[in-house]
Every structure is written in structure tokens, then in C-alpha cells.
Amino acid sequence: MSHPVTHASFTITRQWNAKPERVFQAFADEKAKAKWFAGPPGFEQHEKSFDFREGGRETLSGKHAGGMVTAFDCLYRDIVENERIIYSYVMHLDGKKISVSQASIELFAENGGTKLVLTEYGDYLDGYDDAGSREHGTNFLMDQLGKSLGA
């Protein structure tokens, strides 16, 4: 096959001392999300859009310190306030589509705070077999989210 697809999935769980409503707002509010959803140090943002609603789109693109250019293009598929967010997204690396993924975020009130469960299913395209890197990056973002919550 000249255009192979590699399939991979992962689940990340976090527990924070913040109510589900506050965690949900960290995804739903553009200013709150900007505090944690950004590239690593040295990332130079090129383009950004934010439309958090079912059928809405979010994009973020920019150049990393090492010169690599990434682009995230997300479509929100299902949103249940304070409980669930399901979205699909395409990632580009230096102008080349490298993956198509679907992710769900579930929020559970637990121990006075929130248990977050993020599950992602990815299709990695044309030899880009790097699901471990995606999981690492998503863990980094969840760590940043936790810091932004002060939880």
C-alpha cells in the first residue's frame, strides 16, 4: 500500500481540585483556554480561531522553536455542558496532513473536584507513525490545563 494508515489510541486520566464547571470552562471560554492550549516554549503562533459549539471549529497554527510548522484544525461534534466534549481534528506538519483523530473528554464530579478522562483514536497517515508523540503532547497540554486551574 503506497498510502498506509496506522491506527492508535490512548486514554489520559487526571484528577483536579476544581469543580467540573470550572474545568469545562477551561475548554469552552477562549481566554481561559488560551492560558493552557498553546505550543511549547518558543512557539510562534501564526493563526487562531475559536468557535466552541457543536458544529463549531477551532484552529491553531504556528512555528516551533526548531522551525517545524504545525496546524490543528478541530470540529466540535458533541458538547454536553460540564460533562462531555467530543471533537475530531486534523493535524498538519510542515504543510502535510499527518493525522485525523477523534477525541472525547469526559468530566466526572469526584472527591470534591473533577476526574477528567480523555480518550483519543488516531489515524496516522502515510508513514507518520508517531502515536507516542501525540500522547506525550496531550499529556503536556493536560499538565498545562491543571496548572491553569491551580488544581
Side-chain angles (χ1 to χ4, degrees):
M1 178 181 231
S2 61
H3 294 284
V5 178
T6 301
H7 310 280
S9 64
F10 60 86
T11 299
I12 295 171
T13 303
R14 291 287 194 279
Q15 178 74 40
W16 293 305
N17 292 323
K19 300 285 185 195
E21 296 81 6
R22 187 153 171 246
V23 176
F24 183 85
Q25 282 305 307
F27 288 92
D29 179 80
E30 185 172 9
K31 288 181 183 176
K33 190 166 186 181
K35 291 178 182 176
W36 64 270
F37 190 77
F43 182 77
E44 176 187 302
Q45 182 178 301
H46 291 170
E47 191 177 307
K48 180 180 178 181
S49 68
F50 186 84
D51 183 11
F52 184 83
R53 63 180 172 86
E54 279 191 33
R57 217 169 139 203
E58 179 176 358
T59 61
L60 178 64
S61 66
K63 186 175 185 177
H64 294 256
M68 172 179 62
V69 176
T70 57
F72 167 82
D73 186 355
C74 164
L75 181 61
Y76 291 102
R77 302 291 185 171
D78 181 70
I79 298 172
V80 177
E81 189 171 357
N82 305 324
E83 294 181 25
R84 178 176 71 220
I85 303 166
I86 299 176
Y87 57 99
S88 57
Y89 70 98
V90 175
M91 284 295 299
H92 287 84
L93 176 62
D94 293 329
K96 179 183 178 190
K97 187 187 312 177
I98 60 168
S99 67
V100 179
S101 301
Q102 178 164 302
S104 67
I105 295 167
E106 298 172 277
L107 304 175
F108 303 96
E110 194 171 280
N111 300 322
T114 301
K115 177 182 175 182
L116 174 142
V117 178
L118 184 153
T119 304
E120 182 168 318
Y121 303 92
D123 296 318
Y124 300 89
L125 309 174
D126 300 327
Y128 184 81
D129 181 9
D130 200 9
S133 174
R134 183 68 52 86
E135 184 174 358
H136 175 78
T138 305
N139 267 301
F140 169 80
L141 288 171
M142 293 302 99
D143 290 345
Q144 295 302 107
L145 171 55
K147 288 176 187 174
S148 79
L149 295 169

